[in-house]
């Protein structure tokens, strides 16, 4: 693949590259390797929260504000689990229409589960590609529902967890356990009743778990702000933009912030190695080997550990 059109802003070439990366095509990955030295300039921002909380609307408002500041924006909308993702993507397109035609904005929907490496790995690759392609802001929007979505959100440097009011103490983020990945909390739909109760619930939940946070996820001296927005009207957006920039500076200037990024890359490295090693084993196994071994273990012809050893011996994986 040729890097020239991508680097000179050809959107169709960029889209083709991303599609090839999603399919894990070797030429696409080679190009990412070639361009990798150019990455590292973008701010990767994760936006996660319950369905309908206003993630896409907030992202559109953020994009507009960044554009006004002369920054370019790429958005990766990841929605693997929703049976409505087709509709959601369509909805996102409508919400993003104000930005359509702006060459400084690029929007990409990922409705697939990713391929072999899993969704988080694919998302991370696409985010790196967009970074290398020169975007200033790379936003990853994901529904905060399960572990895989949390893993996706963790590919970002700064994560916004978004909540809508009206549920009182029964805050979605607390239920889903995604509070711990939040660097910034946003209570959107602040034009609706129940905002104060939601802000209070989030603040007390943050206090409760601040002790656990010391484990290294958060930057030192960073206390997670709880901000309110009306994304549809653009209210509160500038404050979110400022908080994002402040968090990035904090992360970049602290050794713990650097450490967090290294830890994240380590997890990614490990996940990829697991996948590759397993692929090697699998490629050398006859199709029904594991079924046969499992049946033998079941009949106590062989024990589980011996079955593992026999697979490793027959695939020679232990010598590599
Ligand atoms: N009243 C009000 N409505 C809002 C606000 N922000 C978003 N909405 C509306 O809430 C609905 C859902 O907004 P989206 O931006 O699609 O929410 P989302 O979190 O991206 O939804 P999914 O991608 O489907 O999970 C839309 O009808 C928006 O117009 C807000 O600040 N106030
Ligand atoms: Mg959305």
């Amino acid at each position: 693949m040729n890097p020239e059109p991508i680097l000179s802003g050809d959107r169709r070439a960029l889209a083709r590259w991303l599609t090839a990366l999603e399919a894990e095509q070797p030429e696409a990955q080679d190009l990412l390797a070639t361009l990798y030295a150019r990455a590292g300039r973008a701010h990767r921002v994760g936006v996660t929260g319950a369905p309908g909380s206003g993630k896409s609307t907030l992202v559109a408002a953020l994009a507009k504000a960044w554009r006004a500041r002369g920054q370019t924006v790429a958005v990766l909308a990841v929605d693997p689990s929703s049976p409505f993702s087709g509709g959601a993507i369509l909805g996102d397109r409508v919400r993003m229409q104000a930005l359509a035609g702006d060459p400084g904005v690029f929007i990409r929907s990922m409705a697939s589960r990713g391929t072999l490496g899993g969704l988080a790995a694919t998302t991370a690759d696409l985010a790196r590609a967009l970074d290398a392609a020169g975007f200033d802001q790379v936003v990853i929007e994901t529904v905060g529902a399960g572990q895989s979505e949390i893993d996706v959100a963790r590919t970002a440097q700064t994560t916004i967890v978004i909540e809508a009011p009206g549920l009182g103490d029964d805050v979605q983020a607390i239920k889903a356990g995604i509070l711990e990945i939040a660097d910034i909390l946003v209570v959107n739909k602040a034009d609706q009743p129940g905002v104060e109760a939601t802000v209070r619930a989030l603040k007390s939940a943050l206090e409760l778990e601040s002790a656990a946070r010391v484990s290294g996820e958060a930057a030192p001296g960073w206390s997670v702000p709880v901000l309110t927005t009306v994304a549809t009207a653009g209210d509160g957006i500038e404050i979110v933009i400022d908080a994002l920039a402040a968090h990035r500076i904090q992360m970049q200037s602290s050794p713990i912030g650097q450490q967090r990024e290294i830890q994240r890359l380590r997890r990614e490295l490990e996940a990829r190695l697991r996948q590759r090693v397993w692929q090697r084993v699998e490629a050398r196994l006859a199709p029904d080997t594991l079924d046969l071994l499992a049946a033998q273990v079941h009949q106590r012809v062989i024990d589980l550990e011996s079955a593992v050893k026999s697979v490793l011996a027959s695939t020679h994986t232990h010598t590599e």
Side-chain angles (χ1 to χ4, degrees):
M1 293 187 96
N2 181 4
E4 290 312 322
I6 292 163
L7 295 178
S8 60
D10 180 340
R11 291 312 160 81
R12 289 169 75 185
L14 176 60
R16 274 197 300 273
W17 184 27
L18 299 184
T19 303
L21 273 176
E22 265 193 274
E24 293 184 2
Q25 286 176 13
E27 318 83 70
Q29 282 166 335
D30 289 348
L31 181 57
L32 187 54
T34 307
L35 296 183
Y36 185 63
R38 306 179 76 98
R41 285 178 290 190
H43 188 187
R44 293 189 314 277
V45 174
V47 176
T48 190
S53 51
K55 297 179 292 297
S56 299
T57 312
L58 184 82
V59 169
L62 288 171
K64 206 175 139 205
W66 276 319
R67 290 302 293 136
R69 295 175 184 209
Q71 298 195 303
T72 55
V73 184
V75 181
L76 277 176
V78 186
D79 190 6
S81 50
S82 166
F84 310 111
S85 54
I89 289 164
L90 196 67
D92 287 346
R93 292 246 167 89
V94 172
R95 277 185 277 290
M96 296 279 182
Q97 220 155 42
L99 303 162
D102 178 345
V105 179
F106 181 86
I107 299 158
R108 171 85 183 195
S109 296
M110 291 175 62
S112 71
R113 295 198 155 274
T115 44
L116 293 165
L119 186 63
T122 310
T123 308
D125 271 349
L126 264 58
R128 269 190 286 269
L130 291 165
D131 182 351
F135 289 94
D136 299 312
Q137 303 288 340
V138 175
V139 184
I140 301 153
E141 177 192 333
T142 172
V143 176
Q147 186 58 47
S148 95
E149 285 81 4
I150 289 176
D151 289 343
V152 167
R154 286 173 88 169
T155 64
Q157 292 158 310
T158 305
T159 299
I160 298 176
V161 172
I162 173 168
E163 190 71 35
L167 295 159
D169 285 344
D170 192 15
V171 174
Q172 299 272 349
I174 300 171
K175 270 196 306 189
I178 56 172
L179 212 56
E180 65 197 50
I181 61 166
D183 299 305
I184 295 165
L185 280 166
V186 168
V187 179
N188 185 44
K189 306 196 183 181
D191 54 331
Q192 293 189 346
V195 188
E196 294 309 321
T198 305
V199 169
R200 262 200 312 276
L202 287 172
K203 282 186 175 164
S204 58
L206 277 176
E207 269 168 42
L208 282 176
E209 67 118 40
S210 63
R213 271 183 177 268
V214 182
S215 59
E217 282 279 330
W222 180 258
S223 63
V224 178
V226 183
L227 309 175
T228 55
T229 58
V230 182
T232 37
D235 294 350
I237 299 304
E238 293 293 319
I239 296 169
V240 178
I241 296 258
D242 291 345
L244 283 167
H247 182 261
R248 188 188 196 198
I249 289 167
Q250 186 97 5
M251 291 295 282
Q252 283 176 334
S253 60
S254 82
I256 291 183
Q258 306 278 329
Q259 205 55 42
R260 170 165 136 170
E261 182 71 3
I262 293 169
Q263 282 300 323
R264 198 188 61 69
L265 289 168
R266 194 203 176 283
R267 278 197 302 273
E268 221 186 316
L269 194 57
E270 186 178 323
R272 260 175 220 226
L273 279 169
R274 271 180 209 279
Q275 178 214 338
R276 290 295 154 78
V277 171
W278 167 244
Q279 277 178 323
R280 281 189 187 180
V281 171
E282 202 180 26
R284 290 168 194 204
L285 283 176
D288 57 353
T289 307
L290 296 188
D291 293 330
L292 292 173
L293 279 171
Q296 287 179 354
V297 173
H298 179 64
Q299 289 159 3
R300 300 183 200 285
V301 175
I302 184 174
D303 68 282
L304 203 61
E305 182 57 29
S306 304
V308 170
K309 283 183 180 138
S310 102
V311 168
L312 290 179
S314 70
T315 55
H316 303 292
T317 320
H318 60 298
T319 57
E320 286 175 345

